[in-house]
Amino acid sequence: GLCDPSPSSSTPGADQREKQYRAHRGFGDRRGGVISARTYFYADEAKCDHHMETFLRCIDASSGSSVDGFAAIKLTALGRPQFLLQFSEVLVKWRRFFHQMAAEQGQAGQAALEMKLEVEKLQDALANLGIATKAESQHWFTGENLGVSGTVDLLDWNSLIDSRTKLSKLLLIPSMQTGQLEPLLSRFTEEEDLQMKRMLQRMDVLAKRAMEKGVRLMVDAEQSYFQPAISRLTLEMQRRFNRDRAIIFNTYQCYLKEAYDNVTVDVELSRREGWHFGTKLVRGAYMEQERERAAQIGYEDPINSTYEKTNKMYHRCLDYILEEIKHSQKANVMVASHNEDTVKFTLRRMMELGIHPSEKKVYFGQLLGMCDQITFPLGQAGFPVYKYVPYGPVNEVLPYLSRRAQENRGFVQRANRERDLLWREVKRRLLTGSLFSPSH
């Protein structure tokens, strides 16, 4: 099944596992309480192959219906979410260990990218903790760029964990709760290793088809306890497929407290490695469920405390990426938002930075049937703007659509305004004799 309760206590360190990344029976079926996103329930590998086929057809359809199209995929549809939970836990523990050592070197409170550990001190710390002798850790830092500067930052640190290595071979690190050394992960079984390989293979098939068809692939964001693994696997894909242009797009949810850290660290990685950074920025779709799970299981709520903070976070992340577009021409962003202020903010910043719509580095996205009063004028002004089209059997798509309506409680006021604007547009086209000509 998807959600076995956490491993029996005979597994070393099982009871010390990070609460957020523990499989939890009450949240086994993630469809409950999710208002504004499609969720998938893991049945078996055949079902995952079936989802992959559906995504392939979606890529073909997108390619057939538009130039420069996008297809959205969800990784929880392509493999066992349990694996994503475990991989996320590993990545998060590993990153926290880095922050803990940075704090001990007097760098607490700095931005993620500014923390730099001195290799010498780092090796001493690893030796003192009994994690690795100096001789053992020596070869970790002798890679091409690692530690050449005498320091290790979060990107160097992350590169020590490669999602292609057998995670079971990873290190012992001190548990945050007990300070005792424990394996980063109580062994990955052969079956789990296969789960991961199959998931990567399916992603590979989709990315190759997308490249072939000239379609970009957007990897949707999901719940925070899967997200570290989803982002990491998406980065692996970006490394391979975004050499010449942005084919693979990652998604960042700006309601997460760590959104800015995540965006800046990944942009910096793309700079260092020279590939094209592609991202979709959203506010986030799983708030109620995230909060309820955090409260019930007992870990810190990962979500910004107010809508205002989320807005600020969105604009801060967006600004960082727009600056990157101006300087490197290698970043691309889809502003996926129904918020008029955010759209206006983007247009203003593009003007100030001299980013022209025809460069096609900044896209806009809204859901089909929502916010047409934003979508149409953007399209007419020559901005690349996309409608996100949910599709599938009526009985599966209807709950999603009804939740969308519920989510937009201010919908009625907006609908009236939208109706007026659409009516004005119809009249304009009647008068100019262009009623049936497609808008450009």
Side-chain angles (χ1 to χ4, degrees), residues 231-341:
S231 273
R232 183 59 183 262
L233 294 171
T234 307
L235 278 179
E236 291 287 324
M237 305 268 287
Q238 289 182 310
R239 273 191 167 126
R240 289 172 45 216
F241 294 97
N242 287 8
R243 289 267 148 229
D244 306 318
R245 54 185 292 244
I247 298 277
I248 309 291
F249 278 60
N250 201 353
T251 304
Y252 296 88
Q253 297 162 301
C254 296
Y255 67 4
L256 293 179
K257 292 170 183 170
E258 55 175 47
Y260 183 76
D261 275 354
N262 293 342
V263 167
T264 51
V265 165
D266 293 352
V267 166
E268 175 60 26
L269 184 67
S270 73
R271 272 185 212 138
R272 282 187 200 178
E273 297 183 343
W275 41 268
H276 290 250
F277 180 81
T279 179
K280 176 173 76 158
L281 283 186
V282 299
R283 278 177 170 75
Y286 304 97
M287 186 163 80
E288 278 77 14
Q289 198 188 39
E290 288 279 10
R291 293 211 154 131
E292 190 191 334
R293 190 178 190 271
Q296 219 170 313
I297 303 178
Y299 55 88
E300 190 201 338
D301 181 358
I303 304 223
N304 283 323
S305 52
T306 65
Y307 185 71
E308 193 35 52
K309 280 191 174 153
T310 292
N311 276 344
K312 259 198 163 118
M313 178 68 90
Y314 195 107
H315 292 174
R316 191 178 173 210
C317 293
L318 180 53
D319 216 36
Y320 186 85
I321 296 166
L322 291 173
E323 293 272 359
E324 180 64 14
I325 289 174
K326 178 179 166 56
H327 296 304
S328 82
Q329 290 294 307
K330 277 193 163 183
N332 303 258
V333 63
M334 174 176 278
V335 179
S337 174
H338 296 134
N339 184 306
E340 290 185 32
D341 293 335

Side-chain angles (χ1 to χ4, degrees), residues 327-374:
H327 296 304
S328 82
Q329 290 294 307
K330 277 193 163 183
N332 303 258
V333 63
M334 174 176 278
V335 179
S337 174
H338 296 134
N339 184 306
E340 290 185 32
D341 293 335
T342 293
V343 172
K344 285 175 183 155
F345 172 86
T346 313
L347 299 178
R348 193 186 78 236
R349 291 298 289 138
M350 284 176 76
M351 273 175 61
E352 289 166 2
L353 293 165
I355 301 169
H356 196 269
S358 64
E359 292 175 37
K360 296 214 163 123
K361 297 283 185 198
V362 182
Y363 317 92
F364 294 86
Q366 282 91 40
L367 281 159
L368 183 68
M370 279 180 64
C371 281
D372 290 349
Q373 83 275 13
I374 291 180

Side-chain angles (χ1 to χ4, degrees), residues 66-315:
S66 64
V67 186
D68 277 348
F70 280 95
I73 63 169
K74 274 200 158 64
L75 289 201
T76 49
L78 294 176
R80 191 159 179 253
Q82 179 84 357
F83 155 70
L84 291 170
L85 270 179
Q86 286 178 293
F87 190 21
S88 290
E89 183 186 1
V90 168
L91 295 168
V92 166
K93 277 186 173 176
W94 189 242
R95 196 165 62 208
R96 283 190 188 152
F97 183 31
F98 174 87
H99 285 303
Q100 191 186 333
M101 289 192 295
E104 279 162 20
Q105 290 193 18
Q107 299 185 36
Q110 285 190 6
L113 276 174
E114 282 161 21
M115 295 183 173
K116 292 184 170 49
L117 306 181
E118 290 173 36
V119 172
E120 285 289 314
K121 281 189 187 169
L122 177 57
Q123 290 181 306
D124 290 341
L126 293 170
N128 292 341
L129 286 166
I131 288 167
T133 64
K134 268 202 143 170
E136 286 169 331
S137 64
Q138 196 70 48
H139 74 274
W140 295 357
F141 303 110
T142 50
E144 299 151 48
N145 321 344
L146 261 184
V148 172
S149 55
T151 60
V152 168
D153 66 9
L154 185 58
L155 293 183
D156 299 326
W157 183 249
N158 284 342
S159 70
L160 292 173
I161 290 193
D162 180 343
S163 66
R164 286 178 301 255
T165 57
K166 278 209 162 180
L167 295 173
S168 51
K169 295 203 179 101
L170 290 174
L171 302 163
L172 295 167
I173 63 166
S175 145
M176 288 301 196
Q177 286 91 338
T178 61
Q180 300 291 303
L181 285 188
E182 56 174 64
L184 248 189
L185 190 65
S186 328
R187 293 191 63 79
F188 250 39
T189 62
E190 283 304 309
E191 176 51 31
E192 281 159 340
D193 268 340
L194 284 171
Q195 293 275 1
M196 166 142 132
K197 284 197 182 76
R198 288 191 290 246
M199 192 178 252
L200 286 167
Q201 277 161 355
R202 290 184 187 107
M203 288 175 80
D204 201 57
V205 168
L206 293 173
K208 285 184 173 139
R209 175 75 66 95
M211 270 193 106
E212 235 169 76
K213 298 276 184 172
V215 171
R216 274 84 48 96
L217 215 50
M218 278 189 314
V219 181
D220 274 345
E222 305 199 43
Q223 286 91 341
S224 65
Y225 35 98
F226 298 124
Q227 199 50 46
I230 290 172
S231 273
R232 183 59 183 262
L233 294 171
T234 307
L235 278 179
E236 291 287 324
M237 305 268 287
Q238 289 182 310
R239 273 191 167 126
R240 289 172 45 216
F241 294 97
N242 287 8
R243 289 267 148 229
D244 306 318
R245 54 185 292 244
I247 298 277
I248 309 291
F249 278 60
N250 201 353
T251 304
Y252 296 88
Q253 297 162 301
C254 296
Y255 67 4
L256 293 179
K257 292 170 183 170
E258 55 175 47
Y260 183 76
D261 275 354
N262 293 342
V263 167
T264 51
V265 165
D266 293 352
V267 166
E268 175 60 26
L269 184 67
S270 73
R271 272 185 212 138
R272 282 187 200 178
E273 297 183 343
W275 41 268
H276 290 250
F277 180 81
T279 179
K280 176 173 76 158
L281 283 186
V282 299
R283 278 177 170 75
Y286 304 97
M287 186 163 80
E288 278 77 14
Q289 198 188 39
E290 288 279 10
R291 293 211 154 131
E292 190 191 334
R293 190 178 190 271
Q296 219 170 313
I297 303 178
Y299 55 88
E300 190 201 338
D301 181 358
I303 304 223
N304 283 323
S305 52
T306 65
Y307 185 71
E308 193 35 52
K309 280 191 174 153
T310 292
N311 276 344
K312 259 198 163 118
M313 178 68 90
Y314 195 107
H315 292 174

